[in-house]
Amino acid sequence: MSDKPTTAEANASAPNAGTTPNATTAEANASASNATTASARQTPVIDGAKLVRERRLNNAKKNWSLFRSDIPALVGAIVLVFFILIAIFAPLIAPASMLDVTKQLDVPRYAPPSFAHPLGTDDLGRELWIRILWGARVSILVGVAATVMSMVIGTVMGLAAGHFGGFFGAIVMRIIDFFIVLPSLLLAIVLSSVLERGVFTIVVAIGLTSWASTARIVRSQTLSVESRLYIERARILGAGHRHILFKHMLPAVMPLVLANTTLTVGSAIIAESTLSFLGLGDTSKESWGTILKNSMDISAATSGYWWYVLTPGIAILLVVLAFTMVGRAFEAIINPALRSR
Amino acid sequence: MTTPTHSYPGPAGGPGGGDPAGGPGGADPGAPDLLGPGQPRDMDEPPKGGSFLGYLLRKLGGALTSMILVVVLGFFAFRMLPGDPVLKIAKERPMSPAQIAELRSQYGLDKPVIVQFWDYLVGIFTGDLGESYVYRKPVSALIVDYLGPTLLLTATAAVIAIGLGLWLGQLSAWRRNSLFDKVASSTSLVFWSVPTFWLGLILLMIFGGTLQWLPTGGMITPGLDPWSFAGIIDVIKHLILPVITMVAVVYAQFLMVMRASLIEEMSEDYLTTARAKGLTEDEVRKKHAVPNALLPTVTVVFMHIGGLIAGAVTVEAVFSWPGLGKLTFEAISGPDLPLLQGTFVVFSAIIIVMNLAADIVYRFLDPRVRRA
C-alpha cells in the first residue's frame, strides 16, 4: 500500500539505478525502494518508505487542521458520530421488546412529548424516541450501503467513459446520459415496486439509479488526467489499459469519489425515506421513512399530532445536513479552487 | 506541403459528426463545472461550430435512444423482473386455477415473450397501455385525465422556483460573504436536506391543520365549476401549499448554480471595463455579468426539471393532488403494475422531451454555438 502512488517516481529513476556501477549499494538497498539507489552513493541511506510515510503524515496533519478550522464540518462530524453510536447501541439502550405493541397496553396513545415520554408516543403507544433510535439503524445503513454501490458503479462507468474512446466509450456515455436525464427517484420507484420488498431491494434500487452524477465527475477528472504528460509517458513505456486505469487513474479520481461519497449519503438517506414513505420499504423494520408513512396513514399532520410528523423529519434533516457539511469540507480540502467560494 | 498539419474543428458533417471527442449523440451541453477550471478536451462543452441541422439531429438521436431505452426498460422491469404478475395477484387474493388462466390470457401472458414484447410495442405506438388492475379502465385514459393537473402544478412550481432561485442566486453572488449571502445559502441548504414530502407534511400541518387557512387536499372544492371565477380562486387556494413545497426543495439548486456561475464571471476583465466606463454596480451586474452567467445556468435548470416532475409524486401523494404523481402513488399501493408502467413511460417521455427542448433552447441562447 505504502509505495503505490510512487510507482511513477520509481519508474522514472529505474534507468538510473540500472546504470549505477556501485553494486554493493544496490545490494544493500535491495530491500528498500529503487528510488534511493541513485543518490545513495554519497548520502547516508534514505529510507524511501519512511519518507513517504512522513509525507503522508504531514499531509494528514495539514488536512486535519483544515478540517478542524471548518466549524460546520466539525459540528457535522459530531452529529454523525452521535447518530452512528445510537444506531449501533440501539439494542442495548432500548431492547426491541420495548417496541412490541402487545407490551405497550398501559402506555397512553398519542401522548405529546413530556417528561415521561420525551418525544411522545405514536398511534400504538410506542415511544417515538425508541422508534427513532431503531430507525437510525436502517436509515443510515441503507444510506451508506446504497452510496457505496452507487460509487462503485459510478467510478467504473466514469473511468470507462473517460478512458476508452470510440464506439465503446460512446455507448457508455449514452448510458450515463440516460441515467442523468431520468430522475433516479422514478427509476428507484419502478425497481423497488417490481422486486421483493425488503431493505436489500431498497439499497439496490437506490444504488443502481443514483450513480450517474458520480460517473460524470469521474469522467471529467479522467479526461483531464488522461491528457497529462505522465500518462503519456506511462503509455510510451508500454503500460496497458489495466496498468493505466488501476495504477494512475484510480488513485487520481479516488479523492474526488470519496468527497462525493459523503455528499451522496445524504441524498441516499432522503431517497430511502421517500421510498419507505411511498410504501415501498420493509414494513417490518423501523426506518425514519416508515415512521413518517405511519404518521401519514393516520393523518397525523391534520389531526394535531405534530410530534409524530416532526421528530423523524428532524432526525433526517440533522443527519443529511451533517453528511453534507462533512462532505463539503472534504471537497474543499481536495479541491483548493473551491475554498475561496 | 499542402496537407494541413492540424485538423481544425471545422463544421460538422451529417448526424453523428461533430467534434472529434463528442462521439455520436454527444453529451448534454455545458453542465456546471463542478471541478473548477482547467479541463481540456471535455466532451461536455457545447460543440463549437457545426451546423444547426447536425446538432439538432444529434440531439434528436440522443433523445430517441433514451426513449427506446425507457420503452425497453418499461417492458423488462414490469414483465420480466416481477416474475409472473398474475401469480402475484393470486397470492394476495384467493383465485381458482381457471380464474388464473383467464387472467393470464386476458393480459396476454400465455404468449411467448417476443410476441408479448411486440404487442407491447404496438400498444405504446397506438396509445394502448393496457388496463389498470385497480381502476378497471384503460391506463391511457386515466393518464389523459390526470395529466393536466400535474402539468399545472409542476409548471407553476417550475416558473416560481426558477425565478426565485436565479434572482436570489445572482444577488448572493454579487454580495458574496455578506449576511444576505449567508442566510440565502444556508436556508437553501436546509431545504435541500429535507425530504420533499416531509416539508409538505409540515406545511399541511401548519396551514391546513392548525391555522386552517388553506385546504388540506384535492384540487377544487367538489361542486364548484373550475372555469368560473370562484372556481379559479378555489384552485389557486388548493395550489398554494403543493407549489410552495415543490419550490422550496428545488429553488436551492438553482440558487447554488446561479451563484457559482456568477462568481466565476465576476473576476473577468470585461466587468472592470464596464466599471471603467462609469456604469453603476447595478448596471454592471444586470447588463454584463448576469447575462453571461445565465448561460450555463439555463441547462442545469432544464436538467433539473426532471427532478421537479419526480418530486411531484410525493407532493401529490401528500396533498391528494389529482395528478400523475397521485396515480403513481395509488399504482404503488395497489400494486397496479400496468398503471405504474404507464405512468413511468409517460413521466419519462415528458422529461426526455423537456431535455431535448433545453438542448435546442441552449443552442439559440449561446451566441458562440449559434453563429453557424
Side-chain angles (χ1 to χ4, degrees), chain A residues 161-162 164 166-167 169-170 173-175 177-178 180-183 185-187 189-191 193-197 216-217 219-221 223-224 226-228 256 263 266-267 270 273-275 277-280 289 292-293 295-296 300-307 309-314 316-318 320-321 324-325 328 331 335 337-338 340-341, chain B residues 23-29 31 33-44 61-63 65-67 69-70 73 77-78 81-82 88 91 176-177 189-190 192-198 201-202 204-206 208-210 216 256 259-260 263-264 303 306-307 310-311 313-314 317-318 328-329 332-333 335 337 340 344 347-348 351-352 355:
Chain A
F164 297 105
F167 185 69
M173 200 50 225
R174 203 52 274 147
I175 298 173
D177 258 6
F178 176 75
I180 282 179
V181 169
L182 279 199
L185 179 66
L186 206 57
L187 292 167
I189 287 177
V190 169
L191 269 183
S193 56
V194 294
L195 297 173
E196 281 298 317
R197 297 284 149 94
R216 189 196 195 96
I217 294 172
R219 187 180 140 275
S220 299
Q221 179 74 359
L223 284 173
S224 90
E226 193 95 10
S227 63
R228 299 213 183 129
L256 266 179
L263 288 171
S267 33
I270 291 185
S273 71
T274 306
L275 290 178
F277 175 75
L278 291 173
L280 292 164
L292 282 170
K293 178 179 172 45
S295 83
M296 168 88 175
T302 42
S303 312
Y305 309 129
W306 52 268
W307 57 92
V309 182
L310 218 54
T311 39
I314 288 175
I316 296 174
L317 172 64
L318 283 179
V320 174
L321 263 184
T324 310
M325 290 304 175
R328 277 163 65 129
E331 211 173 42
N335 188 352
L338 284 177
S340 54
R341 289 183 193 172
Chain B
D28 26 13
D33 201 348
L34 296 167
L35 299 168
Q39 285 171 37
R41 71 178 187 107
D42 193 330
M43 299 186 235
D44 284 358
T65 325
S66 293
M67 205 51 230
L69 277 175
V70 163
L73 197 70
F78 289 99
L81 278 183
K88 217 173 182 177
K91 224 194 284 179
R176 181 146 61 121
N177 294 333
L189 196 63
V190 169
W192 185 82
S193 301
V194 298
T196 316
F197 67 90
W198 184 68
L201 285 176
I202 297 294
L204 190 64
M205 191 165 79
I206 297 172
T210 311
T216 56
M256 296 320 272
R259 183 175 174 275
I263 285 176
E264 200 95 341
M303 276 174 66
V313 176
T314 51
V318 168
T328 309
F329 179 59
I332 292 170
S333 10
L337 291 187
L340 196 55
F344 168 69
F347 263 137
S348 308
I351 291 164
I352 290 170
N355 253 63

